[in-house]
Amino acid sequence: MSQTLAEKLFPNPLPSAADLEDRYPPRQLKEGGRVTRFAPSPTGFLHLGSLYTALVNQLTARGSGGVFYLRVEDTDKKREVAGGAADLLESLRVFGIVPDEGKSENDGKYAPYTQSKRAEIYHVFAKSLVECGLAYPCFCSSDELAQMREKQEKDGAVQGGYWGEWAKCRDLSSEQAAAKIDAGQSWTLRLRSGGDLEKRVAFNDEVRGKIEMPVNVLDAVLLKADGIPTYHFAHAVDDHLMRTTHVIRSEEWLASVPLHLELFRVCGFKPPKYAHVSALLKSENGNKRKLSKRKDPEAAVSWFAREGYPADSVLEYLMCLLSSAFEDWRRANPAAARSDFPFTFKKMSASGALFDLVKLTDVSKGVIAALSGGDLAENILIWAREYDTEFASILQNHGDYLAQILAIDRDGAKKPRKDIAKYSEVRGYVSYFFDELFDGEFPLPDSVCKEDALEILETYDYRGDDDKDEWFGRIRQLSVALGYAASPKDFKANSSAYKGHVGDVSAVIRSAVTGRLNTPDLWAVCRVLGEARVRERIRRIAGE
Ligand code: GLU
């Protein structure tokens, strides 16, 4: 009976389930090797939380000598964006996430890695479920389903949805179903759930430990009216045939596990291990809420690229979020590759990780401080070419000038300055080095009046070839000659005898040359600016 119905529903020749098991055999893995996957919908938008999940998948597979693959879940054509899959792969690559398989549709033995190309595979298992009486066609229209839900609400049904006596098409005979198909009625395929409201199912979540929930009772849709599977059915078929050992995905799927376990069972598949990764949270007015695509620009991974956070900073920060053991490990292994971190699910938070921009800023300053001036300059130019073309063309006119600027207090320094968190700050940070960007401001230090400042500048003789000691000796001499103490200590001991001290004199020079009261080492700054420019800036204020 069911055999005839199955033929009617799936008239085209299909391989057998055994053929598929042969085509996609169990993987030959080394002992303990884990197979994981990242399975995004190609919407063209990479959520920070998805990057986080992808990272856990990659770490889990690589750390065990297993396989990490990418599967494009494009069964929801409404949400798909042209080129979305390629964009996604590129965004992942920027963050060092490179799957072993699935970089393109046929990249690997378990291909195709794109769900829309696997229709036949899903139909094989769908058909065999119909043959066993474990799935049936449903002809209910969306209006009928809406009415059913309304009535359930009105009647206070113990459980909403298509199940038990509410499942109108569940008990159609094969002949009745065949007649509807012959009449051209469209159908979806539903699971004939064996679930019982009284029963519960227990399973182990790698992150959350033992979880118990009511079993599934819903006759869930397996194939939509266009023959495309739902997420649930595709998950069971694909993760079985692609031999995934660990399904690591966002916690939004936790509630579906009872259905998924039932699907694995009725299909005769061994279920994978599950790890449900908590959502990234954000603190707002003292409350925590999920990082939201709608409200938070930083929910999109592209935001970090635009702001100019190095991918390394984002990854380093995500590692801190995903394991409470990472920061200690990092302190002990400052130069080690992140992939050497011994990641385990046990140290993951089950209650959600709080995304904190202040902490990211801090981490990023550390990451940028570890770069050489030359490498940092190169990264900034690449960033500027994409996001600040005016700045890029200024930089391009000046050869390796930016590298020299950034080398100050950085290259060879024991404790490099931790003052840059993102590339978009750099233009403002270095603007005074470029005549095109220098604003010509001359802020006075609190302790010096305009007249005294002018006197300092009129008298100061900058020499570009002075070494650091000569340079400072000259400022000290000048200070003493104009009535300033040669050191802050001298000044403190007898402040009424002086106008101020050598620090005030340097501050005036710093302000004239850079337009700022705070800069990296002034001697080094002046060396990079060059004698002509330094003298010109002093003259500009002091007059001839
Ligand atoms: N396509 C699903 C999503 O984007 C994948 C979930 C999973 O990893 O199984 O949410």
Side-chain angles (χ1 to χ4, degrees):
M1 271 318 224
S2 304
Q3 184 72 40
T4 333
L5 179 58
E7 289 300 334
K8 202 163 197 70
L9 292 168
F10 302 98
N12 295 330
L14 288 171
S16 69
D19 291 338
L20 293 177
E21 297 290 339
D22 286 348
R23 197 191 300 168
Y24 304 115
R27 293 170 183 266
Q28 301 300 314
L29 296 166
K30 70 175 236 207
E31 181 74 23
R34 295 170 166 189
V35 180
T36 66
R37 83 295 190 276
F38 179 51
S41 304
T43 57
F45 175 91
L46 184 59
H47 193 288
L48 188 67
S50 306
L51 177 63
Y52 181 68
T53 306
L55 188 61
V56 182
N57 273 291
Q58 177 161 290
L59 282 166
T60 303
R62 299 271 156 84
S64 66
V67 176
F68 165 59
Y69 71 88
L70 178 88
R71 183 171 69 227
V72 176
E73 303 214 324
D74 58 346
T75 55
D76 187 352
K77 289 292 168 193
K78 286 195 286 299
R79 293 175 57 210
E80 190 171 341
V81 164
D87 288 353
L88 210 91
L89 208 66
E90 175 53 20
S91 310
L92 291 171
R93 192 196 56 75
V94 169
F95 289 93
I97 310 261
V98 181
D100 303 312
E101 298 170 7
K103 287 183 282 298
S104 60
E105 198 174 299
N106 290 313
D107 171 38
K109 291 201 186 109
Y110 294 80
Y113 292 84
T114 304
Q115 286 186 330
S116 59
K117 298 288 155 47
R118 299 172 64 83
E120 185 186 88
I121 295 174
Y122 306 118
H123 289 184
V124 170
F125 293 97
K127 185 173 183 182
S128 80
L129 288 178
V130 176
E131 284 166 352
C132 311
L134 290 166
Y136 63 89
C138 166
F139 303 91
C140 292
S141 65
S142 43
D143 280 352
E144 282 172 298
L145 294 175
Q147 278 163 20
M148 172 196 83
R149 273 188 217 102
E150 226 170 80
K151 185 151 179 8
Q152 286 177 330
E153 228 162 79
K154 214 165 97 224
D155 295 3
V158 279
Q159 161 80 48
Y162 207 84
W163 71 284
E165 67 209 41
W166 298 98
K168 241 174 79 186
C169 297
R170 168 179 250 249
D171 296 322
L172 290 178
S173 67
S174 292
E175 292 74 21
Q176 284 168 318
K180 286 178 184 283
I181 296 165
D182 288 339
Q185 281 201 36
S186 82
W187 52 273
T188 59
L189 193 74
R190 286 186 184 270
L191 167 72
R192 188 188 303 278
S193 171
D196 173 342
L197 273 184
E198 304 295 313
K199 290 209 177 115
R200 296 178 74 78
V201 58
F203 61 94
N204 187 60
D205 186 276
E206 300 288 309
V207 179
R208 290 144 207 275
K210 190 173 167 209
I211 294 183
E212 218 191 86
M213 286 189 202
V215 298
N216 170 63
V217 295
L218 297 179
D219 285 1
V221 174
L222 305 180
L223 296 179
K224 295 180 261 189
D226 54 6
I228 302 281
T230 53
Y231 165 74
H232 309 293
F233 188 50
H235 153 51
V237 172
D238 290 343
D239 282 314
H240 168 67
L241 286 182
M242 294 173 141
R243 312 293 173 179
T244 310
T245 62
H246 288 68
V247 167
I248 304 168
R249 60 186 178 187
S250 104
E251 66 177 345
E252 71 186 283
W253 299 110
L254 187 62
S256 306
V257 173
L259 167 60
H260 296 165
L261 291 175
E262 183 171 7
L263 290 178
F264 274 86
R265 186 163 46 72
V266 294
C267 291
F269 306 151
K270 176 173 176 254
K273 291 200 156 72
Y274 284 105
H276 289 91
V277 175
S278 305
L280 294 180
L281 305 175
K282 183 165 171 152
S283 167
E284 193 179 60
N285 309 325
N287 295 320
K288 288 181 189 170
R289 62 163 175 81
K290 281 189 189 165
L291 197 64
S292 137
K293 179 172 167 178
R294 220 165 21 84
K295 295 190 201 149
D296 308 312
E298 68 271 32
V301 163
S302 54
W303 180 83
F304 296 88
R306 209 169 39 249
E307 288 288 305
Y309 287 99
D312 242 5
S313 302
V314 178
L315 285 170
E316 196 73 11
Y317 177 56
L318 289 182
M319 292 294 287
C320 299
L321 285 183
L322 70 80
S323 172
S324 55
F326 183 74
E327 282 184 83
D328 283 344
W329 178 84
R330 178 47 94 206
R331 264 189 290 277
N333 304 278
R338 274 184 296 275
S339 51
D340 290 344
F341 171 66
F343 171 77
T344 64
F345 292 116
K346 299 278 167 292
K347 299 274 182 189
M348 284 188 83
S349 156
S351 57
L354 192 64
F355 178 80
D356 174 8
L357 215 45
V358 176
K359 173 87 180 165
L360 168 67
T361 300
D362 201 46
V363 169
S364 192
K365 283 181 176 169
V367 167
I368 291 185
L371 297 176
S372 70
D375 286 349
L376 179 54
E378 205 174 301
N379 294 354
I380 291 163
L381 185 59
I382 294 170
W383 173 86
R385 281 196 186 118
E386 177 126 17
Y387 298 105
D388 186 350
T389 48
E390 189 192 56
F391 187 39
S393 59
I394 293 174
L395 293 178
Q396 266 151 348
N397 290 335
H398 290 274
D400 72 346
Y401 188 46
L402 183 64
Q404 292 176 36
I405 295 168
L406 295 169
I408 300 173
D409 288 353
R410 179 180 305 275
D411 291 5
K414 264 213 204 79
K415 277 197 156 196
R417 285 174 82 93
K418 290 192 176 179
D419 46 5
I420 301 173
K422 49 183 182 175
Y423 302 145
S424 54
E425 290 169 357
V426 172
R427 179 178 174 147
Y429 183 70
V430 301
S431 61
Y432 61 87
F433 282 95
F434 295 86
D435 291 336
E436 302 90 320
L437 300 173
F438 181 51
D439 57 16
E441 298 269 308
F442 178 49
L444 282 177
D446 290 343
S447 48
V448 186
C449 69
K450 179 95 192 241
E451 213 184 338
D452 288 347
L454 292 180
E455 185 188 25
I456 292 169
L457 296 176
E458 276 154 18
T459 324
Y460 180 51
D461 180 23
Y462 175 72
R463 305 276 178 86
D465 51 5
D466 278 352
D467 68 19
K468 195 162 176 178
D469 289 340
E470 289 164 342
W471 170 82
F472 193 62
R474 206 180 289 282
I475 295 179
R476 192 182 276 130
Q477 260 173 18
L478 166 74
S479 305
V480 173
L482 295 182
Y484 296 82
S487 72
K489 209 169 126 221
D490 291 354
F491 177 69
K492 240 178 150 182
N494 189 7
S495 60
S496 59
Y498 302 106
K499 281 195 197 163
H501 61 76
V502 66
D504 300 317
V505 175
S506 309
V508 169
I509 298 170
R510 184 190 305 275
S511 175
V513 173
T514 66
R516 306 192 181 182
L517 295 174
N518 273 310
T519 68
D521 179 66
L522 184 58
W523 172 76
V525 166
C526 290
R527 292 285 281 219
V528 172
L529 281 165
E531 181 170 309
R533 202 186 263 123
V534 172
R535 294 185 77 93
E536 199 281 313
R537 287 190 182 178
I538 291 173
R539 205 168 38 237
R540 179 183 56 92
I541 294 175
E544 279 300 346

